[in-house]
């Protein structure tokens, strides 16, 4: 990835701080609402293409090596393309480190023309395909850092996500293979289809449907908060989040998109908590073994291959358990669940998607709580240990 820093929030950070209830016993997380999480810690999600529900199917472009160069249609918008392995949300802020020659050129070009914007689609790690829908980054600030970094990094840039687009045509697909320059695509702005087409407010029927879906999302959120509190999960939402949340349509980063970013923050912190717990368990296993072998100082570096087979098997078990728990979480904070929100073309569809996420998270939390009781407080149990009828 070209991202050198965690996303910052505009106004959403305050709401995220309100939502994320962190107990004093969680020393590593208490008081923190912006956490850098390794992009390598990714949840293995079911391939959305295998799902029958089109609402939960990511729309991908055809493989770029199957496309031919094309000209843009008259009067259509063309934007540079900067693919990244993350699904970004509208109205968020992000900092990127720019070092590849082709993307140095991209920044030079958009600054020279004054456009200061480009499209960022998600990349499917398994296939290398680009999501058809992406977000538009606007360059707020750029620092030239070549001298400071020995030219390893050219620019450090801050951006705001100002909109969503669908790429209707890739003009130079061969650039993805040659890396000689950056991709360019013809795009159309994604506008919600539940308001009327002339920009007037939604019809009474559409407004009533959205109001009912908003009510359903808040009800699901209230149920999740109660389950998290009962299960004593960390991190978790604050008890009053369902009353404080605003999931209405808004065009300035509040409302639905503000809550979506708070949900994203919870998923990030969940991954980080699991990482820290796993790292601590690995450390304790290795240190215990080394202390049993010698009374002297511990070595500063240990090659895993040099450890006994029994210890290596224990570390492999911890890693497998970690992967199973990541899979149980279901909502990769950098992955396809959030891409579905980006590509949804109506407020109603986004409400339906996020409600499903919240309900699935509640079922996961309730199952984990039952397993914790069943295994006498073993927090490492996953839903794969549950009876089939209780699995997510």
């Amino acid at each position: 990835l070209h991202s050198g820093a965690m996303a910052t929030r505009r106004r959403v950070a305050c709401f995220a701080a309100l939502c994320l209830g962190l107990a004093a016993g969680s020393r590593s997380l208490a008081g923190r609402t912006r956490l850098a999480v390794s992009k390598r810690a990714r949840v293995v999600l079911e391939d959305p293409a295998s799902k029958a529900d089109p609402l939960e199917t990511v729309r991908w472009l055809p493989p770029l090596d199957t496309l031919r160069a094309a000209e843009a249609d008259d009067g259509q918008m063309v934007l540079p393309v900067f693919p990244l392995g993350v699904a970004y949300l509208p109205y968020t802020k992000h900092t990127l480190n720019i070092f590849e020659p082709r993307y140095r050129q991209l920044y030079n070009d958009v600054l020279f023309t004054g456009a200061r914007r480009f499209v960022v689609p998600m990349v499917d790690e398994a296939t290398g395909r680009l999501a058809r829908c992406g977000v538009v980054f606007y360059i707020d600030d750029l620092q030239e850092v070549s001298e400071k970094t020995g030219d390893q990094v050219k620019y450090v840039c801050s951006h705001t996500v100002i909109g969503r687009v669908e790429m209707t045509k890739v003009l130079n697909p061969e650039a993805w293979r040659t890396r000689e320059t950056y991709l360019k695509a013809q795009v159309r702005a994604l506008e919600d289809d539940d308001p009327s087409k002339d920009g007037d407010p939604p019809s009474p029927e559409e407004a009533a449907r959205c109001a009912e879906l908003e009510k359903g999302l808040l009800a699901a959120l209230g149920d999740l908060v109660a389950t998290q509190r009962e299960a004593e999960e960390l991190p978790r939402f604050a008890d009053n989040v369902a009353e404080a949340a605003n999931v209405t349509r808004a065009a300035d980063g509040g409302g639905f998109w503000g809550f979506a970013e708070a949900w994203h923050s919870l998923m990030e912190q969940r991954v980080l908590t699991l990482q820290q717990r796993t790292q601590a368990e690995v450390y304790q296993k290795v240190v215990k073994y080394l202390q049993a072998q010698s009374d002297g100082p511990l070595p500063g570096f240990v090659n895993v291959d040099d450890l006994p087979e029994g210890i290596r098997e224990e570390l492999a078990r911890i890693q497998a358990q970690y992967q199973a728990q990541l899979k149980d979480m279901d909502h990769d904070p950098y992955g396809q669940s959030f891409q579905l929100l980006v590509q949804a073309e109506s407020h109603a569809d986004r409400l339906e998607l996020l409600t499903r996420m919240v309900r699935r998270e509640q079922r996961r939390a309730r199952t984990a709580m039952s397993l914790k009781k069943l295994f006498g407080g073993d927090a490492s149990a996953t839903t794969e240990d549950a009876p089939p009828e209780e699995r997510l």
Side-chain angles (χ1 to χ4, degrees), residues 35-42 271-272 275 279 322 334:
L35 300 171
V37 184
S38 169
K39 300 299 188 286
R40 296 180 181 273
R42 304 186 62 86
V271 170
L272 180 60
Q275 283 181 327
Q279 290 167 359
Y322 168 70
Y334 314 109

Side-chain angles (χ1 to χ4, degrees), residues 78-144:
V78 174
L79 287 177
V81 180
F82 193 163
L84 292 170
V86 177
Y88 294 100
L89 296 178
Y91 307 109
T92 54
K93 290 182 177 289
H94 308 277
T95 299
L96 303 181
N97 292 340
I98 309 304
F99 53 86
E100 280 195 56
R102 54 179 169 168
Y103 296 122
R104 295 184 184 200
Q105 186 61 48
L106 183 155
Y107 276 78
N108 290 338
D109 290 348
V110 297
L111 290 172
F112 179 77
T113 62
R116 302 181 73 91
R117 65 195 67 197
F118 51 90
V119 59
V120 178
M122 180 184 178
V123 182
D124 181 13
E125 287 189 340
T127 65
R129 296 171 70 182
L130 306 186
R132 185 176 293 275
C133 300
V135 295
V136 178
F137 272 39
Y138 182 86
I139 302 173
D140 296 318
D141 184 61
L142 178 145
Q143 298 180 36
E144 220 283 3

Side-chain angles (χ1 to χ4, degrees), residues 144-156:
E144 220 283 3
V145 295
S146 298
E147 292 186 6
K148 295 180 180 179
T149 64
D151 203 39
Q152 292 185 6
V153 176
K154 175 69 172 177
Y155 300 124
V156 175

Side-chain angles (χ1 to χ4, degrees), residues 208-218 348-349 351-352 355:
R209 177 171 180 253
C210 287
E212 189 66 26
L213 288 169
E214 290 165 1
K215 182 179 178 181
L217 174 54
L218 294 177
D349 284 350
L351 289 166
E352 176 69 25
T355 300

Side-chain angles (χ1 to χ4, degrees), residues 10-32:
R10 182 188 64 176
R11 270 202 315 275
V12 174
C14 297
F15 182 60
L18 168 68
C19 291
L20 295 169
L22 304 176
S26 182
R27 181 179 304 172
S28 61
L29 290 176
R32 300 175 64 183

Side-chain angles (χ1 to χ4, degrees), residues 343-361:
Q343 73 178 29
E345 295 196 37
S346 73
H347 180 54
D349 284 350
R350 288 191 292 274
L351 289 166
E352 176 69 25
L353 282 166
L354 193 49
T355 300
R356 293 180 188 182
M357 293 184 199
V358 173
R359 288 297 184 194
R360 286 198 291 264
E361 176 64 14

Side-chain angles (χ1 to χ4, degrees), residues 288-310:
K288 184 178 180 180
Y289 164 75
L290 295 175
Q291 289 176 336
Q293 302 304 307
S294 172
D295 294 332
L298 297 177
F301 174 81
V302 176
N303 189 334
V304 175
D305 292 336
D306 295 336
L307 296 173
E309 181 178 357

